[in-house]
Amino acid sequence: MTFWFYPCIFFWIMLVPVWATGQITSSARFLAMGESGAAFGGQVEALLGNPSGIAFMKRPALLMGHRYLFHQPDVSVQTVQFAIPVMQHHFGLSLIHFGLPDAYRDLDLGFVYARRFGPHLGVALGIRH
């Protein structure tokens, strides 16, 4: 019984959302999927929703975006995302700025390392601050 207890605890901990935010900007494909990003693979947009998707990239990619939220020109989000494959290893960097002029500013910086294990499995480790 002890053998099954620890894998079950690990599985449930991995399902708990640790970081969630409403200040996300993304590409049109990401928005069309409801900003879930679960099916992304091989695209730089995966850094926001499913970071292990960059493990399937074939060449470097850069995404820059700007979006007004809540149909207000004062509330805006800017993003820069970059991902590069180096042999079997893939690295990603994301910078997101959310803010209201003269009221509130939030800067989110993230770094992701991803590796591909076989044709359908990619694993990623990421740090966001």
Side-chain angles (χ1 to χ4, degrees):
M1 180 171 162
T2 307
F3 176 75
W4 292 105
F5 178 74
Y6 292 114
C8 289
I9 295 297
F10 177 75
F11 177 76
W12 285 110
I13 288 173
M14 297 309 293
L15 290 178
V16 174
V18 177
W19 180 79
T21 181
Q23 301 105 8
I24 291 180
T25 185
S26 51
S27 67
R29 284 187 195 170
F30 197 76
L31 287 171
M33 296 178 65
E35 293 194 18
S36 67
F40 273 117
Q43 300 169 1
V44 72
E45 294 96 335
L47 284 173
L48 292 177
N50 181 14
S52 63
I54 67 168
F56 298 94
M57 292 181 63
K58 303 269 192 252
R59 57 182 79 92
L62 174 70
L63 173 75
M64 296 187 309
H66 174 82
R67 184 170 97 181
Y68 294 118
L69 295 178
F70 313 117
H71 304 290
Q72 299 291 324
D74 290 340
V75 184
S76 64
V77 179
Q78 297 84 27
T79 184
V80 175
Q81 299 171 34
F82 177 70
I84 184 168
V86 180
M87 296 162 94
Q88 299 282 337
H89 312 281
H90 297 74
F91 301 96
L93 183 67
S94 67
L95 178 67
I96 302 169
H97 174 263
F98 171 81
L100 295 159
D102 301 326
Y104 176 76
R105 294 191 185 269
D106 185 28
L107 187 63
D108 182 27
L109 178 65
F111 178 74
V112 174
Y113 167 75
R115 177 110 192 248
R116 186 172 151 181
F117 297 97
H120 303 292
L121 178 63
V123 177
L125 295 172
I127 298 173
R128 269 205 164 135
H129 185 290

